[in-house]
Structure formats: C-alpha cells, structure tokens
Amino acid sequence: MHPRTRTTLTGAGLAALLALAGCAGARDGGDAVSAEPTPSGTPSDPAPSAAVAPTGPTDPTPSSPAGRPARSRTPLPTLGPPTGPPRNPTDARKANVLAGRITRGGDGPCYGLVTDDGRQYALHGPGKGAFADGTTVRVTIGPADPKVDCGAGTPATIVTIDAVR
C-alpha cells in the first residue's frame, strides 16, 4: 500500500471515528469524544446504528461547536489601490557609487566613464590601475580636484575602482 494512500485512509478513518464517537456520546448521554483512543483506530462501539455524513464547506449554515462563538461573516479588511507612484525612490542607492563602462581607459590617471543611464563622468585617480575601453567597473567617487581636468563629463576623484566580471 502506498504511504500516501495509507495516510488518506487513516485520516478518513479518524474522521469517521470522531463522527461516530460524537453520535454515540450524544445517544448514550456520555461525553462526545472518548478520553481513551482505541489502538486499532476503530470506534469503541462495535455496531453503530447509523452512519452520519459530515458537514462540509458546502453547508450554508455551519454551526459552531458548543461553547464557542460563531465566526463573523464580515469580510476581512484589505488595502485599497495605491493613490499614485511613490514620491521618493524605493530602492535607495549611494550617491557616491557608480557603475558603468570605461570609455577612455588606459593606465590612468584619467578615465572616462558612462553609466547605464547615459551620464558621463571624467574620473581622476592616480595609481588605480589600467582599465581597457569597454570594461565594466564599479567606482566609489569623491569630490573632484579643481586643479585636474580629465576631459568631458562630470569631474570626480576615484576613491576605489573595481572591474565587474
């Protein structure tokens, strides 16, 4: 027998046991559910008089168990539609970190960088390494040195630069 089938049959047997135990207890005037379960998973009453069909979710008026209040039929609150786009960016980025392609490379100290959104930067960084044109890099920048002119673009000083693979 497949383990899933066995679990399903055991679950069905448990449901039948609970239904029959509830009926037997109501008929005898005793507890609705026996305190001691039987090891075989069969009801303690060997010959029940009638089978009871369990009520399912299709029952239009489900009754609540004794001693418990009925569930409210009021729908749960939900969020309404948004009133518009967010006013501030939802994915905060550091203003001093850039990513883009080297357009004027070499062994420095001046480099040209174009970011994905088309902004051009003129970067200055002596001793930062050699980067070929087209290399994708991530650059942390600082304020530009006013004495240095590295060409077209927004001037900035390189703090760190790393090639992105």
Side-chain angles (χ1 to χ4, degrees):
M1 179 176 286
H2 190 268
R4 184 178 202 126
T5 305
R6 182 175 34 209
T7 303
T8 304
L9 292 176
T10 304
L14 181 61
L17 172 69
L18 291 175
L20 292 175
C23 291
R27 185 182 66 211
D28 297 343
D31 291 347
V33 178
S34 174
E36 295 180 14
T38 58
S40 65
T42 58
S44 57
D45 186 7
S49 60
V52 177
T55 60
T58 58
D59 189 8
T61 55
S63 60
S64 58
R68 292 188 184 175
R71 289 187 188 185
S72 172
R73 296 236 182 237
T74 306
L76 296 173
T78 58
L79 295 175
T83 58
R87 290 183 179 84
N88 298 319
T90 56
D91 54 345
R93 295 185 320 180
K94 294 181 180 180
N96 66 334
V97 177
L98 306 173
R101 290 180 325 279
I102 297 289
T103 56
R104 288 186 318 271
D107 53 357
C110 289
Y111 306 91
L113 177 80
V114 175
T115 60
D116 288 341
D117 59 1
R119 294 183 185 173
Q120 288 188 332
Y121 291 86
L123 305 175
H124 179 260
K128 297 299 181 181
F131 295 94
D133 289 359
T135 303
T136 303
V137 294
R138 179 180 171 172
V139 184
T140 303
I141 60 171
D145 184 352
K147 300 177 207 162
V148 177
D149 182 15
C150 282
T154 306
T157 300
I158 299 172
V159 177
T160 62
I161 185 169
D162 297 306
V164 177
R165 295 183 191 349

